[in-house]
């Protein structure tokens, strides 16, 4: 298979545009079309459904299968380049970590400080997004490894349990729950994270396990925003304890006690793309995550 043509096809499929692929690859648009035609002729299969003007192009069934293979091939290519560049005893290179807001704000800093002190010449970048966006970035090879709350939905992503994050239902300090706590919680206005968030996924799951349905709700884009909205009396929420600790200590939030606190916890996972071998920097950082 012509790898140049495969790269052209992969770029077109990834960007959803012939002109965008031409610009990204520094070739002409006719050259893009020619490479795709040659690849389709070589494989004897239609890869891209040619869309009418103004409509987005789509991949055929065979095109989608080839795109998945191409993504793995170029992930290995990038890993090979990164590996060769890093064979200087971790004296140079870049490590890109994808993580959720809560992990980036509360759990990650000690590990970053330790790693940067040990490997001062490695440039470390942290990209913050929700779990769904982090998965996409892993598959596109724009990050090396990830730390998230939610479990991966993509079969090409491998997850490894890292640690548990204790969570509690928090309410404004002036709220007075009734004795029938479950019924009271079902009547409350819930503040939740956006779709794709690991916190939302775990919150809905834990609440359902305790017979609580958040029928009246509002979505906010960060746990910190939710905690402060609860403190202002807007409603109630299920949040990680690390997020609410300061507001609880200030008396602005109250945590509802549980008979079994360990049930209200969520697992945190380290993720990586199974078709992409880890760089030396990524391996070193992963080792530091599990050394304690």
């Amino acid at each position: 298979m012509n790898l140049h043509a495969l790269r052209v096809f992969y770029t077109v499929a990834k960007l959803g545009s012939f002109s965008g692929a031409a610009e990204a690859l520094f070739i002409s648009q006719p050259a893009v079309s020619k490479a795709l035609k040659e690849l389709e002729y070589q494989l004897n299969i239609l890869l891209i459904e040619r869309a009418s003007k103004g409509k987005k192009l789509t991949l055929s069934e065979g095109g989608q299968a080839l795109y998945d293979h191409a993504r793995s091939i170029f992930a290995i290519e990038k890993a090979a380049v990164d590996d060769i560049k890093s064979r200087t005893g971790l004296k140079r290179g870049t490590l890109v970590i994808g993580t959720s807001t809560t992990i980036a704000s509360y759990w990650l800093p000690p590990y970053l400080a330790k790693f940067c002190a040990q490997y001062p010449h490695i440039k470390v970048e942290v990209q913050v997004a929700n779990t769904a966006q982090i998965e996409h970035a892993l598959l596109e090879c724009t990050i090396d490894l990830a730390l998230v709350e939610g479990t991966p939905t993509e079969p090409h992503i491998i997850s490894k349990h890292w640690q548990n994050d204790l969570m509690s239902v928090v309410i404004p300090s002036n709220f007075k729950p009734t004795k029938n706590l479950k019924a009271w919680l079902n009547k409350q206005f819930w503040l939740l994270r956006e779709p794709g968030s690991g916190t939302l996924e775990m919150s809905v799951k834990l609440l359902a396990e305790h017979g609580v349905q958040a029928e009246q709700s509002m979505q906010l884009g960060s746990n910190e925003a939710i905690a402060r909205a609860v403190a202002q009396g807007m409603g109630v929420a299920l949040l990680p304890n690390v997020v609410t600790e300061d507001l609880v200590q200030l008396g602005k939030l109250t945590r509802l006690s549980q008979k079994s606190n360990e049930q209200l916890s969520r697992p945190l996972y380290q993720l990586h793309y199974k078709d992409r071998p880890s760089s030396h920097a990524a391996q070193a950082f992963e080792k530091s995550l599990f050394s304690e």
Side-chain angles (χ1 to χ4, degrees):
M1 185 183 297
N2 186 314
L3 287 182
H4 169 69
L6 182 64
R7 192 186 306 277
V8 172
F9 161 73
Y10 172 73
T11 307
V12 169
K14 179 180 177 181
L15 299 179
S17 167
F18 281 70
S19 59
E23 183 177 349
L25 296 172
F26 302 100
I27 59 178
S28 67
Q29 191 165 331
V32 170
S33 299
K34 181 181 178 182
L36 284 176
K37 288 179 181 178
E38 289 178 352
L39 187 60
E40 288 179 328
Y41 177 79
Q42 182 183 7
L43 298 176
N44 194 27
I45 188 173
L46 180 68
L47 298 172
I48 295 178
E49 304 286 352
R50 268 62 174 182
S52 58
K53 187 176 182 181
K55 292 187 177 180
K56 189 176 181 180
L57 61 84
T58 57
L59 300 180
S60 66
E61 182 180 354
Q64 183 60 53
L66 184 62
Y67 176 78
D68 292 337
H69 286 300
R71 183 167 56 189
S72 297
I73 289 169
F74 295 125
I76 294 172
E77 178 193 49
K78 187 177 187 305
V81 173
D82 291 343
D83 178 65
I84 297 301
K85 288 182 177 180
S86 67
R87 289 188 179 277
T88 55
L90 289 178
K91 292 180 180 178
R92 66 179 183 182
T94 301
L95 173 66
V96 185
I97 303 168
T99 181
S100 67
T101 304
T102 303
I103 294 176
S105 300
Y106 299 97
W107 295 107
L108 187 59
Y111 296 93
L112 282 179
K114 181 179 178 182
F115 183 84
C116 291
Q118 188 173 359
Y119 305 108
H121 301 294
I122 299 294
K123 180 183 178 183
V124 180
E125 299 176 8
V126 178
Q127 295 184 10
V128 181
N130 65 34
T131 301
Q133 293 167 330
I134 291 297
E135 282 191 42
H136 180 73
L138 270 178
L139 293 176
E140 295 299 329
C141 299
T142 58
I143 60 177
D144 297 304
L145 59 83
L147 297 168
V148 300
E149 300 96 350
T151 54
T153 58
E154 286 283 348
H156 292 281
I157 294 179
I158 297 176
S159 65
K160 183 177 181 180
H161 180 262
W162 179 33
Q163 57 183 300
N164 291 319
D165 190 16
L166 191 64
M167 302 180 75
S168 299
V169 174
V170 289
I171 64 175
S173 295
N174 61 343
F175 275 29
K176 304 298 180 184
T178 61
K179 290 185 178 180
N180 189 339
L181 184 59
K182 185 188 298 184
W184 184 83
L185 288 173
N186 274 306
K187 294 179 181 178
Q188 299 308 302
F189 188 78
W190 286 85
L191 301 174
L192 304 170
R193 286 291 301 276
E194 77 286 354
S197 163
T199 301
L200 174 64
E201 175 191 338
M202 190 54 60
S203 295
V204 172
K205 178 181 177 181
L206 289 175
L207 291 174
E209 289 175 356
H210 288 77
V212 177
Q213 300 294 327
E215 294 183 357
Q216 303 179 72
S217 65
M218 174 189 292
Q219 294 177 357
L220 285 86
S222 76
N223 290 337
E224 289 73 13
I226 291 175
R228 297 190 180 281
V230 173
Q232 292 297 318
M234 289 183 62
V236 302
L238 177 60
L239 291 172
N241 286 3
V242 292
V243 174
T244 60
E245 185 62 35
D246 290 347
L247 291 173
V248 169
Q249 293 297 325
L250 290 171
K252 295 184 177 182
L253 290 180
T254 298
R255 290 186 186 132
L256 296 184
S257 60
Q258 299 290 327
K259 294 180 181 179
S260 180
N261 276 337
E262 67 273 11
Q263 292 181 2
L264 289 181
S265 67
R266 60 180 181 176
L268 305 180
Y269 295 99
Q270 184 257 313
L271 310 179
H272 73 269
Y273 181 21
K274 73 176 183 179
D275 293 325
R276 179 186 179 187
S278 296
S279 67
H280 289 289
Q283 290 175 22
F285 188 79
E286 183 177 349
K287 184 178 179 180
S288 72
L289 291 173
F290 297 95
S291 63
E292 298 181 358

